Coordinates of all heavy atoms in Angstrom, one line a residue:
M55 N -23.9 31.0 -3.9 CA -24.0 29.6 -3.4 C -23.7 29.7 -1.9 O -22.7 30.2 -1.4 CB -23.0 28.7 -4.1 CG -23.0 27.3 -3.5 SD -21.7 26.3 -3.9 CE -21.3 25.6 -5.1
S56 N -24.6 29.1 -1.1 CA -24.4 29.1 0.4 C -23.4 28.0 0.7 O -23.1 27.1 0.0 CB -25.7 28.8 1.1 OG -26.2 27.5 0.8
K57 N -22.8 28.2 1.9 CA -21.7 27.3 2.3 C -22.1 26.7 3.7 O -22.8 27.4 4.5 CB -20.4 28.0 2.4 CG -19.9 28.5 1.1 CD -18.5 29.0 1.2 CE -18.0 29.4 -0.2 NZ -16.6 29.7 -0.2
I58 N -21.6 25.5 4.0 CA -21.8 24.9 5.3 C -20.4 24.7 5.9 O -19.4 24.5 5.1 CB -22.6 23.6 5.3 CG1 -21.9 22.6 4.4 CG2 -24.0 23.9 4.7 CD1 -22.5 21.2 4.6
S59 N -20.3 24.6 7.1 CA -19.0 24.4 7.8 C -18.9 22.9 8.0 O -19.8 22.2 8.3 CB -19.0 25.1 9.2 OG -17.8 24.8 9.8
T60 N -17.7 22.4 7.7 CA -17.4 20.9 7.9 C -16.1 20.8 8.7 O -15.1 21.5 8.4 CB -17.2 20.3 6.5 OG1 -18.4 20.5 5.7 CG2 -16.9 18.8 6.6
N61 N -16.1 19.9 9.6 CA -14.9 19.6 10.4 C -14.2 18.4 9.9 O -14.9 17.4 9.6 CB -15.3 19.4 11.9 CG -15.9 20.6 12.5 OD1 -15.4 21.7 12.3 ND2 -16.9 20.5 13.4
I62 N -12.9 18.4 9.8 CA -12.1 17.3 9.5 C -11.0 17.2 10.5 O -10.5 18.2 11.0 CB -11.5 17.3 8.0 CG1 -10.7 18.5 7.8 CG2 -12.6 17.3 7.0 CD1 -9.9 18.5 6.5
S63 N -10.6 16.0 10.8 CA -9.5 15.8 11.8 C -8.2 15.5 11.0 O -8.1 14.7 10.1 CB -9.8 14.6 12.7 OG -10.9 14.9 13.4
L64 N -7.1 16.3 11.3 CA -5.8 16.1 10.7 C -4.8 16.1 11.7 O -4.9 16.7 12.8 CB -5.5 17.3 9.8 CG -6.4 17.5 8.6 CD1 -6.1 18.8 7.9 CD2 -6.3 16.4 7.6
D65 N -3.7 15.4 11.4 CA -2.5 15.4 12.2 C -2.0 16.9 12.2 O -2.0 17.5 11.2 CB -1.5 14.5 11.6 CG -0.1 14.6 12.3 OD1 0.0 13.9 13.3 OD2 0.7 15.4 11.8
P66 N -1.7 17.4 13.4 CA -1.3 18.8 13.5 C -0.1 19.2 12.5 O -0.1 20.3 11.9 CB -0.9 19.1 14.9 CG -1.5 18.0 15.7 CD -1.7 16.8 14.7
T67 N 0.8 18.3 12.4 CA 2.0 18.6 11.5 C 1.5 18.6 10.1 O 2.0 19.4 9.3 CB 3.1 17.5 11.7 OG1 3.5 17.5 13.1 CG2 4.3 17.8 10.9
L68 N 0.7 17.6 9.7 CA 0.2 17.6 8.3 C -0.6 18.8 8.0 O -0.4 19.4 6.9 CB -0.7 16.3 8.2 CG -1.4 16.2 6.8 CD1 -0.3 15.9 5.7 CD2 -2.4 15.0 6.9
K69 N -1.4 19.3 8.9 CA -2.2 20.5 8.7 C -1.3 21.7 8.5 O -1.4 22.5 7.6 CB -3.1 20.8 9.9 CG -4.0 22.1 9.7 CD -4.9 22.3 10.9 CE -5.6 23.6 10.7 NZ -6.4 24.0 11.8
K70 N -0.3 21.9 9.4 CA 0.7 23.0 9.3 C 1.4 23.0 8.0 O 1.5 24.0 7.3 CB 1.6 22.9 10.5 CG 2.6 24.1 10.5 CD 3.5 23.9 11.8 CE 4.6 25.0 11.8 NZ 5.6 24.9 10.8
E71 N 2.0 21.8 7.6 CA 2.7 21.7 6.4 C 1.8 21.9 5.2 O 2.3 22.6 4.2 CB 3.4 20.4 6.3 CG 4.5 20.2 7.3 CD 5.2 18.8 7.3 OE1 4.7 17.9 6.6 OE2 6.1 18.6 8.1
G72 N 0.6 21.4 5.2 CA -0.3 21.7 4.1 C -0.7 23.2 4.0 O -0.7 23.7 2.9
Q73 N -0.9 23.8 5.1 CA -1.2 25.2 5.1 C 0.0 26.0 4.5 O -0.2 27.0 3.7 CB -1.6 25.8 6.5 CG -2.9 25.3 7.0 CD -3.2 25.7 8.4 OE1 -2.3 25.5 9.3 NE2 -4.4 26.2 8.7
E74 N 1.2 25.7 4.9 CA 2.4 26.4 4.4 C 2.5 26.2 2.8 O 2.7 27.1 2.1 CB 3.6 25.9 5.1 CG 3.7 26.3 6.5 CD 4.9 25.6 7.3 OE1 5.6 24.8 6.7 OE2 5.0 25.9 8.5
L75 N 2.3 24.9 2.4 CA 2.4 24.7 0.9 C 1.3 25.4 0.2 O 1.6 26.1 -0.8 CB 2.2 23.2 0.7 CG 2.0 22.8 -0.8 CD1 3.3 23.1 -1.6 CD2 1.6 21.3 -0.9
F76 N 0.0 25.3 0.7 CA -1.1 26.0 0.0 C -0.9 27.5 0.0 O -1.2 28.2 -1.0 CB -2.4 25.5 0.5 CG -2.6 24.0 0.4 CD1 -3.1 23.3 1.4 CD2 -2.3 23.4 -0.8 CE1 -3.3 21.9 1.3 CE2 -2.5 22.0 -0.9 CZ -3.0 21.3 0.1
S77 N -0.4 28.0 1.1 CA -0.2 29.5 1.2 C 0.8 29.9 0.1 O 0.7 30.9 -0.6 CB 0.4 29.8 2.6 OG 0.7 31.2 2.6
D78 N 1.9 29.1 -0.1 CA 2.9 29.4 -1.1 C 2.2 29.4 -2.5 O 2.7 30.0 -3.4 CB 4.0 28.4 -1.1 CG 5.0 28.6 0.1 OD1 4.9 29.7 0.7 OD2 5.8 27.7 0.3
L79 N 1.2 28.6 -2.7 CA 0.5 28.5 -3.9 C -0.7 29.5 -4.0 O -1.4 29.5 -5.0 CB -0.1 27.1 -4.1 CG 0.9 25.9 -4.2 CD1 0.2 24.6 -4.1 CD2 1.8 26.1 -5.4
G80 N -0.8 30.3 -3.0 CA -1.9 31.4 -3.0 C -3.2 30.8 -2.6 O -4.3 31.4 -2.9
L81 N -3.3 29.7 -1.9 CA -4.5 29.1 -1.4 C -4.6 29.0 0.1 O -3.5 28.9 0.7 CB -4.6 27.7 -2.0 CG -4.5 27.5 -3.5 CD1 -4.4 26.0 -3.9 CD2 -5.7 28.1 -4.2
D82 N -5.8 28.9 0.6 CA -5.9 28.5 2.0 C -6.4 27.1 2.0 O -6.6 26.5 1.0 CB -6.9 29.4 2.7 CG -8.3 29.4 2.2 OD1 -8.7 28.5 1.4 OD2 -9.1 30.4 2.4
L83 N -6.4 26.5 3.2 CA -6.7 25.1 3.3 C -8.1 24.8 2.8 O -8.3 23.8 2.1 CB -6.6 24.6 4.8 CG -6.6 23.1 5.1 CD1 -5.6 22.4 4.3 CD2 -6.5 22.9 6.6
T84 N -9.1 25.6 3.1 CA -10.4 25.4 2.6 C -10.5 25.4 1.1 O -11.2 24.5 0.5 CB -11.4 26.5 3.2 OG1 -11.4 26.4 4.6 CG2 -12.8 26.4 2.6
T85 N -9.8 26.3 0.5 CA -9.8 26.3 -1.0 C -9.2 25.1 -1.6 O -9.6 24.5 -2.6 CB -9.1 27.6 -1.5 OG1 -9.8 28.7 -0.9 CG2 -9.2 27.7 -3.0
A86 N -8.1 24.7 -1.0 CA -7.4 23.5 -1.4 C -8.2 22.2 -1.3 O -8.3 21.4 -2.2 CB -6.1 23.3 -0.6
V87 N -8.9 22.1 -0.2 CA -9.8 20.9 0.0 C -11.0 21.0 -1.0 O -11.4 20.0 -1.6 CB -10.4 20.9 1.4 CG1 -11.5 19.8 1.6 CG2 -9.2 20.5 2.4
T88 N -11.5 22.2 -1.2 CA -12.6 22.4 -2.2 C -12.1 22.0 -3.6 O -12.8 21.3 -4.4 CB -13.1 23.9 -2.2 OG1 -13.6 24.1 -0.9 CG2 -14.2 24.1 -3.2
L89 N -10.9 22.4 -4.0 CA -10.3 22.1 -5.3 C -10.2 20.5 -5.4 O -10.5 20.0 -6.5 CB -9.0 22.7 -5.5 CG -9.0 24.2 -5.8 CD1 -7.5 24.8 -5.8 CD2 -9.6 24.5 -7.2
F90 N -9.7 19.9 -4.3 CA -9.6 18.5 -4.4 C -10.9 17.8 -4.6 O -11.0 16.9 -5.5 CB -9.0 18.0 -3.0 CG -9.0 16.5 -2.9 CD1 -8.1 15.7 -3.5 CD2 -10.0 15.9 -2.1 CE1 -8.2 14.3 -3.4 CE2 -10.1 14.5 -1.9 CZ -9.2 13.7 -2.6
I91 N -12.0 18.2 -3.9 CA -13.3 17.6 -4.0 C -13.8 17.8 -5.4 O -14.4 16.9 -6.1 CB -14.2 18.0 -2.9 CG1 -13.7 17.5 -1.6 CG2 -15.7 17.6 -3.2 CD1 -14.5 18.1 -0.4
K92 N -13.7 19.1 -5.9 CA -14.2 19.4 -7.3 C -13.5 18.6 -8.3 O -14.2 18.0 -9.3 CB -14.1 20.9 -7.6 CG -15.1 21.7 -6.8 CD -15.0 23.2 -7.2 CE -16.1 24.0 -6.6 NZ -16.1 25.4 -7.1
Q93 N -12.2 18.4 -8.2 CA -11.5 17.7 -9.2 C -11.8 16.2 -9.1 O -12.0 15.5 -10.1 CB -10.0 17.9 -9.0 CG -9.1 17.2 -10.1 CD -9.3 17.8 -11.5 OE1 -10.0 18.8 -11.7 NE2 -8.6 17.2 -12.5
S94 N -12.0 15.7 -7.9 CA -12.4 14.3 -7.7 C -13.8 14.0 -8.4 O -14.0 13.0 -9.0 CB -12.5 14.0 -6.2 OG -11.3 14.0 -5.6
L95 N -14.7 15.0 -8.2 CA -16.0 14.8 -8.9 C -15.9 14.9 -10.4 O -16.6 14.1 -11.1 CB -17.0 15.9 -8.4 CG -17.4 15.8 -6.9 CD1 -18.1 17.0 -6.4 CD2 -18.2 14.5 -6.7
R96 N -15.0 15.7 -10.9 CA -14.8 15.9 -12.3 C -14.3 14.6 -12.9 O -14.8 14.2 -14.0 CB -13.9 17.0 -12.6 CG -13.8 17.4 -14.1 CD -12.8 18.5 -14.4 NE -11.4 18.1 -14.4 CZ -10.8 17.3 -15.3 NH1 -11.5 16.9 -16.3 NH2 -9.6 17.1 -15.3
V97 N -13.3 13.9 -12.3 CA -12.8 12.7 -12.8 C -13.4 11.5 -12.3 O -13.1 10.4 -12.7 CB -11.2 12.6 -12.6 CG1 -10.5 13.8 -13.2 CG2 -10.9 12.5 -11.1
Q98 N -14.4 11.7 -11.4 CA -15.1 10.5 -10.8 C -14.2 9.5 -10.1 O -14.2 8.3 -10.2 CB -16.0 9.8 -11.8 CG -17.2 10.6 -12.3 CD -18.1 11.0 -11.1 OE1 -18.7 10.0 -10.6 NE2 -18.2 12.2 -10.7
G99 N -13.2 10.1 -9.4 CA -12.2 9.3 -8.6 C -11.2 10.2 -8.0 O -11.4 11.4 -8.0
L100 N -10.2 9.6 -7.5 CA -9.1 10.4 -7.0 C -8.4 11.1 -8.1 O -8.1 10.5 -9.1 CB -8.1 9.6 -6.1 CG -8.7 9.0 -4.9 CD1 -7.7 8.1 -4.2 CD2 -9.1 10.1 -3.9
P101 N -8.0 12.4 -7.9 CA -7.4 13.1 -9.1 C -5.9 12.9 -9.2 O -5.2 13.8 -9.7 CB -7.8 14.6 -8.7 CG -7.9 14.6 -7.2 CD -8.4 13.3 -6.8
F102 N -5.5 11.8 -8.7 CA -4.1 11.5 -8.8 C -4.0 10.0 -8.6 O -4.8 9.3 -8.0 CB -3.2 12.2 -7.7 CG -3.8 12.1 -6.4 CD1 -3.7 11.0 -5.6 CD2 -4.5 13.2 -5.9 CE1 -4.2 11.0 -4.3 CE2 -5.1 13.2 -4.6 CZ -4.9 12.0 -3.8
P103 N -2.9 9.4 -9.1 CA -2.8 7.9 -8.9 C -2.4 7.6 -7.5 O -1.7 8.3 -6.8 CB -1.6 7.5 -9.9 CG -0.9 8.8 -10.1 CD -1.8 9.9 -9.9
V104 N -3.0 6.5 -7.0 CA -2.7 6.0 -5.7 C -2.0 4.7 -5.9 O -2.6 3.7 -6.4 CB -4.0 5.8 -4.8 CG1 -3.7 5.2 -3.5 CG2 -4.8 7.1 -4.7
V105 N -0.7 4.7 -5.5 CA 0.1 3.5 -5.8 C 0.9 3.2 -4.5 O 1.1 4.0 -3.6 CB 1.1 3.7 -6.9 CG1 0.3 3.9 -8.2 CG2 2.0 4.9 -6.7
R106 N 1.3 2.0 -4.4 CA 2.2 1.6 -3.3 C 3.5 2.2 -3.4 O 4.0 2.5 -4.5 CB 2.3 0.1 -3.3 CG 0.9 -0.6 -3.0 CD 1.1 -2.1 -3.1 NE 1.9 -2.6 -2.0 CZ 2.3 -3.8 -1.9 NH1 1.9 -4.7 -2.8 NH2 3.1 -4.2 -0.9
D107 N 4.2 2.3 -2.3 CA 5.6 2.8 -2.4 C 6.4 1.7 -3.1 O 6.0 0.6 -3.3 CB 6.2 2.9 -0.9 CG 5.6 4.0 -0.2 OD1 5.1 5.0 -0.8 OD2 5.6 4.0 1.1
K108 N 7.6 2.2 -3.6 CA 8.5 1.3 -4.3 C 8.8 0.1 -3.3 O 9.0 0.3 -2.1 CB 9.8 2.0 -4.6 CG 9.6 3.0 -5.7 CD 10.9 3.7 -6.1 CE 10.6 4.8 -7.1 NZ 11.8 5.5 -7.4
P109 N 8.9 -1.1 -3.9 CA 9.2 -2.3 -3.0 C 10.6 -2.2 -2.4 O 11.5 -1.6 -3.0 CB 9.1 -3.5 -4.0 CG 9.2 -2.9 -5.3 CD 8.7 -1.5 -5.3
N110 N 10.7 -2.7 -1.2 CA 12.0 -2.7 -0.5 C 12.8 -3.9 -1.0 O 12.3 -4.7 -1.8 CB 11.8 -2.7 1.0 CG 11.1 -3.9 1.6 OD1 11.2 -5.0 1.0 ND2 10.4 -3.7 2.6
A111 N 14.0 -4.1 -0.5 CA 14.9 -5.2 -1.0 C 14.2 -6.5 -0.7 O 14.3 -7.4 -1.6 CB 16.2 -5.1 -0.3
E112 N 13.6 -6.7 0.4 CA 13.0 -8.0 0.7 C 11.8 -8.3 -0.2 O 11.7 -9.4 -0.7 CB 12.5 -8.0 2.2 CG 11.9 -9.4 2.6 CD 11.4 -9.3 4.1 OE1 11.4 -8.3 4.7 OE2 11.0 -10.4 4.5
E113 N 11.0 -7.3 -0.5 CA 9.9 -7.5 -1.4 C 10.4 -7.8 -2.8 O 9.8 -8.7 -3.5 CB 9.0 -6.3 -1.4 CG 8.3 -6.1 -0.1 CD 7.6 -4.7 0.0 OE1 8.1 -3.7 -0.5 OE2 6.6 -4.6 0.7
I114 N 11.4 -7.1 -3.2 CA 12.0 -7.4 -4.6 C 12.5 -8.8 -4.6 O 12.3 -9.6 -5.6 CB 13.1 -6.4 -4.9 CG1 12.5 -5.0 -5.1 CG2 14.0 -6.9 -6.1 CD1 13.5 -3.9 -5.2
E115 N 13.2 -9.3 -3.6 CA 13.7 -10.7 -3.5 C 12.5 -11.7 -3.6 O 12.6 -12.6 -4.3 CB 14.5 -10.9 -2.2 CG 15.1 -12.2 -2.1 CD 15.9 -12.4 -0.8 OE1 16.4 -11.4 -0.2 OE2 16.0 -13.5 -0.3
M116 N 11.4 -11.4 -2.9 CA 10.3 -12.3 -3.0 C 9.7 -12.3 -4.4 O 9.3 -13.4 -4.9 CB 9.2 -11.9 -1.9 CG 9.6 -12.2 -0.5 SD 8.3 -11.9 0.7 CE 8.2 -10.1 0.7
M117 N 9.6 -11.1 -5.0 CA 9.0 -11.1 -6.4 C 9.9 -11.9 -7.3 O 9.4 -12.6 -8.2 CB 8.8 -9.6 -6.8 CG 7.7 -8.9 -6.1 SD 7.3 -7.3 -6.7 CE 8.7 -6.3 -6.0
N118 N 11.2 -11.7 -7.2 CA 12.1 -12.5 -8.0 C 12.0 -14.0 -7.8 O 12.1 -14.7 -8.8 CB 13.6 -12.0 -7.8 CG 13.9 -10.6 -8.3 OD1 13.2 -10.1 -9.2 ND2 14.9 -10.0 -7.8
E119 N 11.8 -14.4 -6.6 CA 11.6 -15.8 -6.3 C 10.3 -16.3 -6.9 O 10.3 -17.4 -7.5 CB 11.6 -16.0 -4.8 CG 11.5 -17.5 -4.4 CD 11.6 -17.7 -2.9 OE1 11.7 -16.8 -2.1 OE2 11.5 -18.9 -2.5
V120 N 9.3 -15.5 -6.9 CA 8.0 -16.0 -7.5 C 8.2 -16.1 -9.0 O 7.8 -17.1 -9.6 CB 6.9 -14.9 -7.2 CG1 5.7 -15.2 -8.1 CG2 6.5 -15.0 -5.7
Q121 N 8.9 -15.2 -9.6 CA 9.2 -15.3 -11.0 C 10.0 -16.6 -11.3 O 9.8 -17.3 -12.3 CB 9.9 -14.1 -11.6 CG 9.1 -12.8 -11.5 CD 7.8 -13.0 -12.3 OE1 7.7 -13.6 -13.4 NE2 6.7 -12.5 -11.7
D122 N 11.0 -16.9 -10.5 CA 11.8 -18.1 -10.6 C 11.0 -19.3 -10.5 O 11.2 -20.3 -11.2 CB 13.0 -18.1 -9.7 CG 14.0 -19.1 -10.0 OD1 14.6 -19.1 -11.1 OD2 14.3 -20.0 -9.1
I123 N 10.1 -19.3 -9.5 CA 9.3 -20.5 -9.3 C 8.4 -20.7 -10.5 O 8.2 -21.9 -11.0 CB 8.4 -20.3 -8.0 CG1 9.2 -20.4 -6.8 CG2 7.3 -21.4 -8.0 CD1 8.5 -20.0 -5.5
K124 N 7.9 -19.7 -11.1 CA 7.0 -19.8 -12.3 C 7.9 -20.3 -13.5 O 7.4 -21.1 -14.3 CB 6.4 -18.4 -12.7 CG 5.3 -18.0 -11.7 CD 4.8 -16.6 -12.2 CE 3.6 -16.2 -11.3 NZ 3.1 -14.8 -11.8
A125 N 9.1 -19.8 -13.6 CA 9.9 -20.2 -14.7 C 10.5 -21.6 -14.6 O 10.7 -22.3 -15.6 CB 11.0 -19.2 -14.9
H126 N 10.8 -22.0 -13.3 CA 11.4 -23.3 -13.1 C 10.8 -24.1 -11.9 O 11.4 -24.3 -10.9 CB 12.9 -23.1 -12.7 CG 13.7 -22.3 -13.8 ND1 14.0 -22.8 -15.0 CD2 14.1 -21.0 -13.8 CE1 14.6 -21.9 -15.7 NE2 14.7 -20.8 -15.0
P127 N 9.5 -24.4 -12.1 CA 8.8 -25.1 -11.0 C 9.5 -26.4 -10.6 O 9.3 -26.9 -9.5 CB 7.4 -25.3 -11.6 CG 7.5 -25.2 -13.1 CD 8.7 -24.3 -13.3
E128 N 10.2 -27.0 -11.6 CA 10.9 -28.3 -11.3 C 11.9 -28.2 -10.2 O 12.3 -29.2 -9.5 CB 11.5 -28.9 -12.5 CG 12.7 -28.1 -13.1 CD 12.3 -26.9 -13.9 OE1 11.1 -26.6 -14.1 OE2 13.3 -26.2 -14.4
N129 N 12.4 -27.0 -9.9 CA 13.4 -26.7 -8.8 C 12.8 -26.6 -7.4 O 13.5 -26.4 -6.5 CB 14.2 -25.5 -9.2 CG 15.0 -25.7 -10.4 OD1 15.3 -26.8 -10.8 ND2 15.4 -24.6 -11.1
Y130 N 11.5 -26.6 -7.3 CA 10.8 -26.4 -6.1 C 9.9 -27.5 -5.7 O 9.3 -28.2 -6.6 CB 10.0 -25.1 -6.1 CG 10.9 -23.9 -6.4 CD1 11.2 -23.5 -7.7 CD2 11.5 -23.2 -5.3 CE1 12.1 -22.4 -7.9 CE2 12.3 -22.1 -5.5 CZ 12.6 -21.7 -6.8 OH 13.4 -20.7 -7.0
K131 N 9.8 -27.8 -4.4 CA 8.9 -28.9 -3.9 C 7.5 -28.5 -4.2 O 7.1 -27.3 -4.1 CB 9.1 -29.1 -2.5 CG 8.3 -30.2 -1.9 CD 8.7 -30.6 -0.5 CE 7.8 -31.8 -0.2 NZ 8.2 -32.4 1.1
Q132 N 6.7 -29.5 -4.7 CA 5.3 -29.2 -5.0 C 4.5 -30.1 -4.0 O 4.9 -31.2 -3.6 CB 5.0 -29.6 -6.4 CG 5.8 -28.7 -7.4 CD 5.4 -28.9 -8.8 OE1 4.4 -29.5 -9.1 NE2 6.2 -28.4 -9.7
Y133 N 3.3 -29.6 -3.7 CA 2.4 -30.3 -2.8 C 1.1 -30.7 -3.5 O 0.7 -30.0 -4.4 CB 2.1 -29.4 -1.6 CG 3.3 -29.0 -0.8 CD1 4.1 -27.9 -1.1 CD2 3.8 -29.9 0.2 CE1 5.2 -27.6 -0.4 CE2 4.9 -29.5 0.9 CZ 5.6 -28.4 0.6 OH 6.8 -28.1 1.3
T134 N 0.5 -31.8 -3.1 CA -0.7 -32.2 -3.7 C -1.9 -31.6 -3.1 O -3.0 -31.6 -3.7 CB -0.9 -33.8 -3.7 OG1 -0.8 -34.2 -2.3 CG2 0.3 -34.5 -4.4
S135 N -1.7 -31.0 -1.9 CA -2.8 -30.3 -1.2 C -2.3 -29.3 -0.2 O -1.1 -29.4 0.2 CB -3.7 -31.3 -0.5 OG -3.0 -31.8 0.6
G136 N -3.2 -28.4 0.1 CA -2.8 -27.4 1.2 C -2.6 -28.1 2.5 O -1.7 -27.7 3.3
K137 N -3.3 -29.2 2.7 CA -3.2 -29.9 4.0 C -1.8 -30.5 4.1 O -1.2 -30.5 5.1 CB -4.2 -31.0 4.0 CG -4.3 -31.8 5.3 CD -5.4 -32.8 5.4 CE -5.4 -33.6 6.7 NZ -6.6 -34.5 6.7
E138 N -1.3 -31.0 3.0 CA 0.1 -31.6 2.9 C 1.1 -30.5 3.3 O 2.0 -30.7 4.1 CB 0.4 -32.2 1.6 CG 1.8 -32.8 1.5 CD 2.1 -33.3 0.0 OE1 1.2 -33.3 -0.8 OE2 3.2 -33.7 -0.2
L139 N 0.9 -29.3 2.7 CA 1.8 -28.2 3.0 C 1.8 -27.8 4.4 O 2.8 -27.7 5.1 CB 1.5 -27.0 2.1 CG 2.1 -25.7 2.4 CD1 3.6 -25.8 2.2 CD2 1.5 -24.6 1.6
I140 N 0.6 -27.7 5.0 CA 0.5 -27.3 6.4 C 1.0 -28.3 7.3 O 1.7 -28.0 8.3 CB -1.0 -27.0 6.7 CG1 -1.4 -25.7 6.0 CG2 -1.2 -26.8 8.2 CD1 -2.8 -25.3 6.0
S141 N 0.8 -29.6 7.0 CA 1.4 -30.7 7.8 C 2.9 -30.6 7.9 O 3.5 -30.8 8.9 CB 1.0 -32.0 7.3 OG -0.4 -32.2 7.4
E142 N 3.5 -30.3 6.7 CA 5.0 -30.2 6.7 C 5.5 -29.0 7.5 O 6.4 -29.1 8.2 CB 5.5 -30.1 5.3 CG 7.0 -30.1 5.2 CD 7.5 -30.2 3.8 OE1 7.0 -31.0 3.0 OE2 8.5 -29.4 3.5
I143 N 4.7 -27.9 7.4 CA 5.1 -26.7 8.1 C 5.0 -26.9 9.6 O 5.9 -26.6 10.4 CB 4.2 -25.5 7.7 CG1 4.5 -25.0 6.3 CG2 4.4 -24.3 8.7 CD1 3.5 -24.0 5.7
L144 N 3.9 -27.6 10.0 CA 3.8 -27.9 11.5 C 4.8 -28.8 12.0 O 5.3 -28.7 13.1 CB 2.4 -28.4 11.7 CG 1.2 -27.4 11.5 CD1 -0.1 -28.1 11.7 CD2 1.3 -26.3 12.5
A145 N 5.2 -29.8 11.1 CA 6.3 -30.7 11.5 C 7.6 -30.0 11.7 O 8.3 -30.3 12.6 CB 6.4 -31.8 10.5
D146 N 7.8 -29.0 10.8 CA 9.1 -28.2 10.9 C 9.1 -27.4 12.2 O 10.1 -27.3 12.8 CB 9.3 -27.3 9.7 CG 9.7 -28.1 8.4 OD1 10.1 -29.3 8.5 OD2 9.6 -27.5 7.3
V147 N 7.9 -26.8 12.5 CA 7.8 -26.0 13.7 C 8.0 -26.8 14.9 O 8.8 -26.4 15.8 CB 6.4 -25.3 13.7 CG1 6.2 -24.6 15.1 CG2 6.3 -24.3 12.6
E148 N 7.5 -28.0 14.9 CA 7.6 -28.9 16.1 C 9.1 -29.3 16.2 O 9.6 -29.4 17.3 CB 6.7 -30.1 16.0 CG 5.3 -29.8 16.2 CD 4.3 -31.0 15.9 OE1 4.8 -32.1 15.7 OE2 3.1 -30.8 15.9
S149 N 9.7 -29.6 15.1 CA 11.1 -30.1 15.2 C 12.0 -28.9 15.6 O 13.0 -29.1 16.4 CB 11.6 -30.7 13.9 OG 11.7 -29.7 12.9
D150 N 11.7 -27.7 15.2 CA 12.5 -26.5 15.7 C 12.3 -26.3 17.2 O 13.2 -25.9 17.9 CB 12.0 -25.3 14.9 CG 12.5 -25.3 13.5 OD1 13.4 -26.1 13.1 OD2 12.0 -24.4 12.7
S151 N 11.1 -26.5 17.7 CA 10.9 -26.3 19.1 C 11.5 -27.4 20.0 O 11.7 -27.2 21.2 CB 9.4 -26.2 19.4 OG 8.7 -27.4 19.2
D152 N 11.8 -28.5 19.4 CA 12.5 -29.6 20.1 C 13.9 -29.3 20.3 O 14.6 -29.9 21.2 CB 12.3 -31.0 19.4 CG 10.9 -31.4 19.4 OD1 10.1 -31.0 20.3 OD2 10.5 -32.3 18.6
D153 N 14.5 -28.4 19.5 CA 16.0 -28.1 19.6 C 16.3 -27.3 20.7 O 15.7 -26.6 21.4 CB 16.4 -27.5 18.3 CG 16.3 -28.4 17.1 OD1 16.3 -29.6 17.3 OD2 16.3 -27.9 15.9

């Protein structure tokens, strides 16, 4: 099978660390990239899950607040329209700037 040369741009540190890892596994960078592409084709997608990092404390607090709003909507102000909500936000911003 003939081969063609392909250029990819990598952060120098990422390339160096990748080469060290793959070398420890008995691979060079070209072989590792080839394995990645072949496995991607085999599974018709990325050969590993792509997920977000674990949420930080602020994100957890926001998710808990959303759950509380869903469970107890009576404890939170409700708006009849988006316009009403935006009007209130703008009024709050204006009053904060007057201080």
